[in-house]
Amino acid sequence: MAGLDLSLIASQAFTGLGLGVIFVLLAVGLSLIFGLMGVTNFAHGSLYMLGAYFSFSLLAFTGNFWVGLVGGALLVAVLGIVTEVVLLRPLVGRSSDHPLLLTFGLSLVLVEAVRLVWGKAGLELNTPTSLSGAVNLGFMFFPQYRLFVIAVTALSLLALWLFLTRTNVGLIIRAGTRDPLMVRALGFNFNAIRTIVFGIGAGLAGLAGALVGPLGGVYAEMGINIIIESFVVVVVGGMGSLLGAVVAGLLIGEVVSFTTLFAPKFSHLSVFIVMAVVLILRPSGLFGESGLME
Amino acid sequence: MIRWLTKHIAAHPIAAFVVVFTIFPFVIPYEALAAQVLTYGLFALGFNIIYGYTGLLSFGHAAFWGLGAYGTGITLAKLGMTSLWIGLAAGVLAALVAGVVVGYLCLRRRGIYFAMLTLAFGQMIFFTGFHLSEWTGGDDGLRGIPRLPAELPGITIPLDTPLSLYYFTMVIVTLMLAGLKRILESPFGTVLQAIRENESRAEACGYDVRRVKLLSFTFSALFAGVAGALEAVRLNFVPIDALYWTTSAQVVIMTLLGGAGTFFGPFVGAATFLLLEDRLSQLMESWSLVIGIIFIAFVLFLPKGIWGTLLERLQRGGGRAAVAEPVEMRTSATADSPKEENGRA
Amino acid sequence: MKNCKSENLVSRRRFLAAAGASAIALPRWSFAQQKVIKIGFPTPLTSPYSTEAQDQVNGATLAVEEFNAKGGVLSRKIELLARDDQLKPGITAQKAKELIEKDQVDFMSGALSAHVQMAVNSQTKPAKMVYISISQANAITAMPDWSPWTFHEAFSPHMTTQAGGSWAIDNLGKRLFILYADYALGADLNAGIERIAKEKGATVVGKLPHVLGNPDFSPFVPKILASNADVLVINNYGKDQLNAVKDMHNFGVKKKMKIFFPLITFTGREDLGPVPYEEVYGGASFYWELARENPSAKRFVDAFQKRFNRPPGDYAGYAYSAIRLLLQSVEKAGTTHADKVAAQMAGATYDTYKGKQWMRKCDHQSFQDWYIVRSKPEKNQKGKYDVMDIVAKVPGSEPLERSCSELGHKT
């Protein structure tokens, strides 16, 4: 009996990991955008949704899943760049509520636009045949595709870390989250930095959506459902902290998974309870305040 | 012409409100929509107290609207009370108590953290309402709320026709509006705006900022609760989405459209939003696309909202705006960098 | 004489107020004279159930067009006013109110899903308007929600589980694990499964709720697998079914137990294809292949196919039947007066699209046959819509539903 329980726990923990990595991809993007720009990007869920839709269409067009995946993420990154330049830059210097409100309005527009272009009913995406099997982990059979998602997330985080620590642009970005004024004073083109950061954040969201497409389906409402949970993750981790986003994302994934096992009626609510408790005990989240890389 | 109207409306807000809303149901396609403008307008008015006047963005205000609705609904439908006033009072009380509790817990933080905390509590209240389905009807909603008459000393006024319900709602809303005017014109109202402009300075001047913010939040919840109670009577039904965060988002949109931090802004915003939604959803399936685009355009070009922009033009034109129309200068505590907001405990 | 429709009062008052006159007694007919008979029809055109909603609109439209082609009813044309209720009860209540007060519809039908139906009923009941509901709900035929003008064409979750659950226990296994959507439909289906299980000596070895609109069912898998059940009964609908099937297939759950959907969604099988649905069973009120053996079904399916280029789903059938019954009853009653139409409908026996159906008098529930289907294997599938095999028929009978007294009706 004990062995059985252990494998149940291990299974639950692993599925939690599978859930958590999507939160991580979304939260890292959100946190990056907030940390550098002070913008609460309410359209993040819609960018995630667009990642799924773009990858679907690219797959339909080219017949190649990998093109769909990478292309989808890149297209969303480009859309992010355009959004930042056209819609968000005019708001610099105004109250910090305005970008929040604007991105909220943008999310409404994107959801409707998607329904117009791709129809109201949602689309089904199949996992590529190369990844359609299941792997025997000992305690459970885990679908290959889900392992793939975990791997892609890990690689993306590694790539991001390398970018932020080993490149000049990355250095400027990190400095910019600590002290935007100083970075400007030193002569750097802060506008360009903002655009790049928003593009990266959007690209990560798009990647998450493209990854999730074969799992949960592609539908216009998918962003609305996940945006609130993404904010919760970012706040729990500490707004502006990338390490916080990673830790909190995995934590929330495990919380959802284990409450499903032990207290299923509360699994949706548990996320908010965790956030409320964290905020009351550690007002800036788990890792908040100290800048990007801490 | 517009300037003349604006000037006079701003100078005598309550009288203007009564005039406009007395003829409103005859201008609008049907009375139930007109009454909906009143209830949502009052909801937005309440939200405006904490957002437009005090500068704190709350994402969980649906909780107070919903509690007002469910409090009234449960009292009348499940507990079988036969007095409309008791039903309304129960809803208002529920919203008020929740306002004090939630406000106390959330106001420790500011900015985005405050917003997220209010969202969290709002969702918790939603889940409670969803699962207490014996009382609330769960996701089937609370059905069977009777349309009781308004009993006053001397006469009993039946409210079973759309028009009579409308005027009843209008009277209550007018009273709340008059109350709000008193609040804003009082020293308390001035301190609210001082906090909005620069909280640290208000504190340095010696005001008990925390207490003032809590009072403001409580008033805000109270207004939302009255609005919710009226809505329960209007629809004879309370849907569970009354407590969901999308309802909180709706009231934010309405307030911004109309003009945050202005007296009439919320009503203008509620009317615009609801009328647009009603008309557009008949004409096209993608009406929320249009509303989203309009909203973005407002944020970019008309951040003061319809009414706020009208007032601003009035002021710039050399007229004297009324005391009861403090024009929005900036919402939330200045252009703080996130660092600065985080830095405060 | 009693006013049948409160909106006559509304239109009269509007006129009085606008004319500034007071209490001029004008005959009712000058305002009630509408050339067209209007039927209000809220349905979730934008929602996870949007395909089924469109199906409903199509079925209703076909019925309306058939009657209009014969000259209408009582020499009046019929108009269907479809509205998008977004599957949200608050919006539905508002739309229903608008249909009643502004559009002045004569009758109401529509709604998909229990909670939304109740919102429609919350508006039609005080207005004393005939409402014939076309989706599953347990509460609509019971007190206190029921009214003399409320009718239920669709199966109730209770009947669904008694019919389907009984078959599943007899044919698939006696150890059941229930995975359900955490809202009214899920809860109602659960209550039904647990009841039939008790009756037949089967055991429910575990239960797990999921949030409505859940895209990821992986966190439920470990517990399901650990339960050693024979049958996984999944009490949900629409997109949720599709996602559940996908994950159960990918995690190998189907290797260890059979999957049964008391209320199966055909479009899920159409969209996902045969592989994830292999060996999946379910219950439904109608499947278009009935046209092979049933003449009424053949007439309906052929007309629908011709009009919409695809065969009708089960919800199209409900809508078609409801509108036909409604309009037939208006014809028999000779008037659109709600009480008289309701009286015609209350005891009706009819055959609109699949065989004999009848309305029980005490609660206005329509009794009809139920079908058990199995997903058609890939090798047998001949077309996009050729997705199911009918494996059993459960004939309609009143013992399948709760008794009149259990529902709170005085007999």
Side-chain angles (χ1 to χ4, degrees), chain C residues 309-322:
Chain C
N309 276 323
R310 55 153 299 156
D314 45 347
Y315 277 85
Y318 279 147
Y320 179 77
S321 179

Side-chain angles (χ1 to χ4, degrees), chain B residues 239-279:
Chain B
I240 193 66
D241 15 323
L243 288 171
Y244 201 57
W245 68 265
T246 44
T247 304
S248 299
Q250 261 189 337
V251 78
V252 176
I253 296 180
M254 289 180 192
T255 308
L256 191 92
L257 273 183
T262 66
F263 193 68
F264 275 126
F267 269 99
V268 173
T272 310
F273 182 87
L274 290 170
L275 289 172
L276 266 180
E277 185 186 57
D278 184 73
R279 293 290 85 206

Side-chain angles (χ1 to χ4, degrees), chain A residues 32-49:
Chain A
L32 200 59
I33 292 172
F34 184 83
L36 184 87
M37 299 162 69
V39 167
T40 314
N41 182 22
F42 229 96
H44 216 67
S46 304
L47 295 171
Y48 162 82
M49 166 202 60

Side-chain angles (χ1 to χ4, degrees), chain A residues 88-222:
Chain A
L88 289 174
R89 204 175 285 178
L91 298 178
V92 171
R94 291 206 219 163
S95 149
S96 60
D97 291 330
H98 287 198
L100 190 157
L101 293 170
L102 185 137
T103 51
F104 176 74
L106 185 63
S107 69
L108 291 179
V109 170
L110 290 175
V111 168
E112 256 334 288
V114 158
R115 285 195 186 123
L116 274 176
V117 174
W118 280 280
K120 286 181 292 212
L123 305 162
E124 280 308 312
L125 201 52
N126 281 322
T127 55
T129 35
S130 49
L131 291 170
S132 287
V135 172
N136 188 350
L137 295 175
F139 47 85
M140 80 184 301
F141 278 91
F142 206 72
Q144 273 182 339
Y145 187 76
R146 286 178 185 264
L147 282 176
F148 169 69
V149 169
I150 295 174
V152 168
T153 305
L155 282 173
S156 309
L157 288 176
L158 182 64
L160 184 67
W161 184 78
L162 286 173
F163 172 73
L164 287 173
T165 51
R166 298 287 149 87
T167 67
N168 285 337
V169 185
L171 184 61
I172 298 170
I173 291 175
R174 283 163 59 208
T177 62
R178 294 271 203 139
D179 201 333
L181 207 55
M182 200 50 163
V183 167
R184 258 213 195 91
L186 287 170
F188 291 109
N189 184 351
F190 206 65
N191 276 344
I193 303 294
R194 289 170 47 97
T195 311
I196 292 175
V197 165
F198 200 84
I200 294 176
L204 287 171
L207 178 65
L211 286 170
V212 156
L215 292 174
V218 178
Y219 54 106
E221 296 77 25
M222 62 195 280

Side-chain angles (χ1 to χ4, degrees), chain C residues 210-223:
Chain C
H210 71 79
V211 76
L212 178 64
N214 182 40
D216 195 331
F217 283 84
S218 62
F220 302 94
V221 168
K223 193 161 175 186

Side-chain angles (χ1 to χ4, degrees), chain B residues 26 29-32 36 130-131 139-140 143 147 161-163 234-237 239 241 278-279 281-282 287, chain C residues 13-14 17 83 86 88-90 93-95 97-98 101-102 114-115 118-119 122-123 145 182-184:
Chain B
F26 304 105
Y30 59 110
E31 292 92 341
Q36 197 185 23
F130 189 91
H131 284 119
D139 61 312
D140 277 347
R143 292 104 51 199
R147 185 74 69 79
T161 62
L163 209 57
R234 185 187 79 89
L235 263 187
N236 304 94
F237 173 72
D241 15 323
D278 184 73
R279 293 290 85 206
S281 60
Q282 307 273 48
W287 51 269
Chain C
R13 283 207 189 188
R14 233 214 205 108
R83 296 280 184 266
Q86 301 174 41
K88 298 195 174 100
Q94 187 60 30
K95 295 276 178 196
K97 202 176 184 64
E98 188 180 316
E101 291 180 9
K102 187 179 99 171
H115 55 324
M118 306 315 293
S122 77
Q123 303 303 310
D145 289 291
D182 194 4
Y183 77 122

